[in-house]
Amino acid sequence: MNPANPRHTQFGLVRDMLATADIIAKFNPDQAIDTAASIAKAGRLLLTGEGSSRIFPAKNAIRFARRHNLPITLHTEGARQAQEYKLDDWAVFGLSNSGKTSEIIKLFKDLAAAGHKNLFSLTAHPNSLLESVATKGYVLGCGAEAAVAATKSVVEQALFYHALLEHVAGKLTLKSRLAELSAMVRAAMTVQIDPALAAKIANAGTIYFAGRNDGVAEELTLKTNEITRKKSDFLEGTYAVHGVEEVMDKNDVVIWIDPFTDSEGKFQDVLAKGVGLTVIAIADRPTPFPTIQVPAAGELSPYVFMAAGWNVLVETGIALGVNLDKPARARKVGNEFVG
C-alpha cells in the first residue's frame, strides 16, 4: 500500500487500513478497569461475536492469555452455538460493530431474561440495541468504516481485549508499547510487495492461509473473500501438510503467517516440491520461501502480521481490478436482528 498513490487511496478500505496506525497510537487501555475487576471475580469469560468481530479479537486474546498463564478461563464461540451452553457463572463479552447482530442480540436477551449480570458489549456506535441489553457497554473510538470489509475496527477490538486481560491479570505493558506498535503496523502496511508475488496470488485458483490459531491467518482468509473475491481456506497450524495437499495444484498459493521454523522443510518438500505451488511467508525474519518481512514486535506480532496481510490483499485486489470497497454480495451487517 502506498499512502501517496491515488490508485490505492481512492478506496475507503485503504484509508481505513492506513488509519489503523493512528488508532493504535491513541488507544486508551484503561477504559474498562471496572469491568476487568468484575471479570476477574467471575474467573470465566466467554468471548463471542460473529465473523471479524470474533475471529481475531477473541483468538488473539486467548493466545495472549495462554502464553502468559493468566488466572482466567477463556473460551470463544459464535453466539448462536453459545445459546446452547450453560453460562450461569461466566462473564460474557459480545462484539458487534453494528450493535444489532442477530445472533448476539438473541444470546444476550436470553441471558438477561435469566438474570445474568455479567454481560458486556463493544460496538462501533453508541446507544445500540446490544448495549441496551448488556450490563455495561463500550464504544470503539475508530469511527465508521468506509468499506464493507472490517479492518481498523478489528484491530481496536483486539486491543480492547488485550488491555482488558492485562487489567484482569494486573500486568500492564500495552500502554508503553502503543507508539512502537503503531510505527510497526504502519511499516507492515506500506512495505513494498513484489508485483510478481501479487500477480501470482491474483492468478491463484485458491489462496490458502496457514498459521497459528491466533486469528490472524483465519481473519485474512475471510478478508480474501471480501477484498479480492478469490476462494480461500484457513489451514491451522501444520494442517497444510496433513492431507489437503491431495486436492491442491501448482496454481494455488499458500501464504504462511509466522512459519514454524522446524516445519519449513516439510512445507518445502510437500507443497513447493511435491505439489509445485508457491509458498509465501509473512514473517519477521528471513525464511526459505519468498518472504514479506516485517518488524519484529514480539508479543504484539499478530497485529503486525495482520497489517502485512492487509497489504498483500490490497495489492492483489488492485492487480485483479476489483472495487475493494464494494463486494457484490457481502454486507456490512451479516445478519441484522429483526424483532
Side-chain angles (χ1 to χ4, degrees), residues 2 40 48 79 92 102 104 110 116 167 203 227 232 250 264 290 332:
N2 183 350
T48 190
V92 180
S102 178
I104 307 174
D110 285 352
H116 203 299
H167 281 293
N203 291 324
I227 295 172
S232 61
K250 64 182 181 180
E264 288 174 350
K332 192 65 178 173

Side-chain angles (χ1 to χ4, degrees), residues 1-297:
M1 262 182 281
N2 183 350
N5 187 342
R7 188 164 176 249
H8 293 82
T9 57
Q10 66 176 307
F11 295 110
L13 176 78
V14 172
R15 298 194 297 272
D16 286 343
M17 289 174 172
L18 292 172
T20 303
D22 289 335
I23 290 163
I24 292 171
K26 297 173 183 177
F27 179 72
N28 174 16
D30 298 327
Q31 57 191 297
I33 294 175
D34 292 344
T35 293
S38 298
I39 290 171
K41 184 176 180 181
R44 297 180 178 184
L45 175 61
L46 173 71
L47 307 170
T48 190
E50 301 299 319
S52 294
S53 288
R54 183 177 74 92
I55 295 170
F56 179 58
K59 294 193 174 185
N60 182 60
I62 292 171
R63 172 204 62 87
F64 171 72
R66 287 178 178 166
R67 284 174 68 100
H68 291 274
N69 196 29
L70 299 190
I72 184 170
T73 299
L74 291 179
H75 185 71
T76 186
E77 201 72 77
R80 182 70 76 203
Q81 186 165 333
Q83 285 182 272
E84 301 173 352
Y85 296 169
K86 186 173 178 60
L87 298 169
D88 296 358
D89 54 352
W90 287 71
V92 180
F93 221 116
L95 270 57
S96 165
N97 276 350
S98 66
K100 48 191 178 183
T101 303
S102 178
E103 295 87 349
I104 307 174
I105 299 299
K106 291 177 180 178
L107 172 65
F108 270 50
K109 281 181 171 288
D110 285 352
L111 292 173
H116 203 299
K117 300 300 183 184
N118 278 330
L119 302 176
F120 307 101
S121 68
L122 178 62
T123 63
H125 308 283
N127 306 313
S128 66
L129 179 56
L130 178 58
E131 184 178 350
S132 74
V133 292
T135 308
K136 185 174 179 62
Y138 296 89
V139 179
L140 295 169
C142 63
E145 289 172 310
V148 167
T151 51
K152 61 182 181 178
S153 62
V154 172
V155 168
E156 188 176 355
Q157 288 170 334
L159 287 172
F160 186 96
Y161 275 163
H162 194 128
L164 181 74
L165 290 176
E166 285 198 345
H167 281 293
V168 168
K171 300 177 181 178
L172 309 181
T173 64
L174 182 60
K175 182 183 289 188
S176 66
R177 295 201 62 195
L178 288 173
E180 176 190 23
L181 178 61
S182 172
M184 290 181 172
V185 163
R186 191 183 305 278
M189 283 192 293
T190 56
V191 67
Q192 185 171 358
I193 307 299
D194 182 346
L197 286 184
K200 174 69 76 171
I201 298 167
N203 291 324
T206 301
I207 302 170
Y208 294 94
F209 284 86
R212 290 162 178 78
N213 187 23
D214 59 8
V216 179
E218 188 175 357
E219 168 64 10
L220 290 172
T221 300
L222 170 57
K223 286 294 170 283
T224 298
N225 303 144
E226 294 176 330
I227 295 172
T228 74
R229 326 295 195 254
K230 301 286 290 187
K231 293 179 181 179
S232 61
D233 195 9
F234 168 50
L235 307 175
E236 180 186 339
T238 60
Y239 177 17
V241 293
H242 285 275
V244 68
E245 65 269 25
E246 185 67 22
V247 297
M248 292 173 161
D249 65 48
K250 64 182 181 180
N251 295 316
D252 294 331
V253 168
V254 172
I255 301 175
W256 198 3
I257 310 297
D258 192 20
F260 298 104
T261 305
D262 62 358
S263 298
E264 288 174 350
K266 180 60 70 175
F267 272 58
Q268 189 82 279
D269 291 341
V270 173
L271 301 179
K273 296 178 182 177
V275 177
L277 57 69
T278 301
V279 178
I280 300 168
I282 296 177
D284 57 16
R285 57 178 175 81
T287 78
F289 311 101
T291 302
I292 298 161
Q293 193 165 340
V294 298

